[in-house]
Amino acid sequence: QVQLVESGGGLVQAGGSLRLSCAASGRAFSNYAMGWFRQAPGKEREFVAAINWSGASQFYADSVKGRFTISGDNAKNTVYLQMNSLKPEDTAAYYCAAGPLLSGSSYYTHQRYNYWGQGTQVTVSS
């Protein structure tokens, strides 16, 4: 049984930082991309960042470029999202996801990811 378990969410003031972690288990994740998506109340789920299976390529939404960094530790089957200079508009539930053999625009598309975590809440106060 595949499991993705997120941790690291919480309440932080604007300008602060958080690091989210996503631990994957239950299968081999070679050739799987890992992504982070977020969803605020009343809004659609949106892409935040992704990393390819080798870790050599990272992809970011324009809204987080320069502030967020995605990285992975294959030995631990864990992917991280370092979030700096947080803004109130970053407030959302953040979800980790895994998808096989992604390329091009599919990294940005939540329908291409077939494993999802339960989410972790990030709240940024102004």
Side-chain angles (χ1 to χ4, degrees):
Q1 181 180 357
V2 173
Q3 274 196 315
L4 301 179
V5 180
E6 302 100 332
S7 61
L11 173 64
V12 64
Q13 287 189 331
S17 298
L18 284 173
R19 188 176 84 153
L20 305 183
S21 299
C22 172
S25 62
R27 63 156 294 141
F29 283 91
S30 58
N31 294 326
Y32 270 70
M34 301 296 292
W36 288 95
F37 291 77
R38 66 188 182 187
Q39 188 166 18
K43 295 188 177 181
E44 293 187 355
R45 187 166 298 193
E46 66 172 353
F47 171 79
V48 176
I51 188 167
N52 73 337
W53 68 272
S54 70
S57 298
Q58 298 84 40
F59 308 85
Y60 297 95
D62 288 343
S63 59
V64 307
K65 277 181 184 175
R67 300 188 298 122
F68 291 11
T69 302
I70 188 170
S71 62
D73 184 336
N74 287 341
K76 296 182 178 179
N77 265 0
T78 299
V79 65
Y80 304 97
L81 184 69
Q82 178 66 43
M83 306 186 295
N84 298 328
S85 302
L86 282 161
K87 304 176 181 179
E89 51 263 44
D90 295 317
T91 295
Y94 282 71
Y95 297 89
C96 173
L101 301 174
L102 302 186
S103 62
S105 63
S106 61
Y107 283 102
Y108 303 85
T109 308
H110 69 85
Q111 293 92 338
R112 296 299 304 273
Y113 292 77
N114 52 0
Y115 297 114
W116 290 84
Q118 81 290 349
T120 186
Q121 179 67 34
V122 172
T123 302
V124 184
S125 63
S126 56

